[in-house]
Amino acid sequence: MDELKIIECEQNSQEWYAARAGVVTASEFSTVLMKGRGGAPSETRKKLMACKAAEILSGKPIQMWAGNAHTERGHEMEQEIRDLYEATSEHEVTQIGFMRRGRIGCSPDAAVGDDGLFEAKSCLPHIQIDRLLAGVLPSEHQAQVDGQLLVSGRKWVDYRSYSPGLPELRVRVYRDSERLSRLNHELQQFIRELDALVAQIKEMA
């Protein structure tokens, strides 16, 4: 695999968006895996590819989604969740900007010691109740967490789901070679399609 590069920047800053431009990031991996109805191509996946192509061609980052009240709440709570984790962790916890390996990247909420990462998610109370009852990593975050392991090369991710006034969901997710291999296969296919789209658009210039 390509060499890991760590770009020191504040997440959600201009430097952070610039570092991500044209790179497929872990928060987008679930979109890469999407299939449309009846096996048809996913429209959401096609939109992601068009945005990545535009970033490569223009050299400028594009925000597909500006966020909403839920994402703003998540940003506000992220430090609170990290502080809580750090207070109970036996390892050094270090904030990190952007990790890149070739054409894929990720922005974990923290690096933990030499082997781990930390990922925090906040949610509404009824969602947290469902997550606590299930007691496992929510399926909607599987690709992101696996992607962080794929990009970083680290051994595990400590995932925390948090909603004020309720217990935390605490799950440690370890590398699974079969899952990571399948994910990497889909990512490389996406990148091949992306390169073909960029070449096609360049021919129109």
Side-chain angles (χ1 to χ4, degrees):
M1 293 185 70
D2 294 287
E3 180 184 356
L4 175 67
K5 296 181 180 180
I6 298 178
I7 300 167
E8 299 296 342
C9 56
E10 183 178 347
Q11 292 190 17
N12 302 302
S13 66
Q14 289 185 344
E15 293 81 6
W16 182 75
Y17 282 111
R20 292 160 52 95
V23 179
V24 188
T25 66
S27 60
E28 299 162 334
F29 288 177
S30 61
T31 301
V32 171
L33 299 177
M34 281 184 178
K35 309 294 182 185
R37 291 183 180 178
S42 162
E43 292 300 318
T44 305
R45 185 179 184 274
K46 287 170 62 178
K47 179 181 177 181
L48 173 64
M49 187 174 295
C51 286
K52 293 300 172 184
E55 288 180 338
I56 292 170
L57 291 162
S58 70
K60 297 178 181 179
I62 296 171
Q63 283 186 260
M64 286 182 62
W65 187 51
N68 57 25
H70 296 308
T71 54
E72 287 300 318
R73 184 188 69 250
H75 291 320
E76 292 170 0
M77 288 187 177
E78 183 180 305
Q79 186 61 52
E80 180 181 347
I81 306 170
R82 186 187 295 109
D83 289 344
L84 181 62
Y85 175 80
E86 190 167 6
T88 58
S89 175
E90 59 186 18
H91 304 288
E92 181 181 2
V93 178
T94 307
Q95 286 188 246
I96 200 161
F98 187 63
M99 307 175 87
R100 177 173 178 172
R101 192 181 292 274
R103 305 283 295 279
I104 59 176
C106 67
S107 300
D109 290 326
V112 186
D114 296 324
D115 298 324
L117 297 173
F118 171 64
E119 182 63 26
K121 299 292 185 186
S122 64
C123 64
L124 295 171
H126 69 282
I127 296 175
Q128 182 72 355
I129 292 291
D130 287 343
R131 290 179 179 176
L132 288 167
L133 291 174
V136 297
L137 177 71
S139 59
E140 63 266 30
H141 297 143
Q142 185 75 62
Q144 180 179 5
V145 169
D146 282 342
Q148 291 176 349
L149 293 170
L150 181 65
V151 172
S152 69
R154 293 194 168 219
K155 296 179 179 178
W156 47 264
V157 175
D158 274 349
Y159 172 93
R160 297 289 185 269
S161 179
Y162 177 82
S163 187
L166 291 171
E168 279 190 309
L169 172 64
R170 302 179 178 183
V171 180
R172 176 166 288 188
V173 182
Y174 291 93
R175 296 179 68 88
D176 182 300
S177 58
E178 290 187 7
R179 279 205 316 265
L180 296 192
S181 178
R182 288 195 299 269
L183 175 60
N184 189 51
H185 174 78
E186 293 292 337
L187 290 170
Q188 297 310 314
Q189 176 61 32
F190 182 89
I191 289 168
R192 286 191 291 271
E193 293 175 28
L194 173 60
D195 288 344
L197 175 59
V198 169
Q200 181 182 1
I201 300 302
K202 283 182 175 179
E203 289 178 359
M204 297 178 181

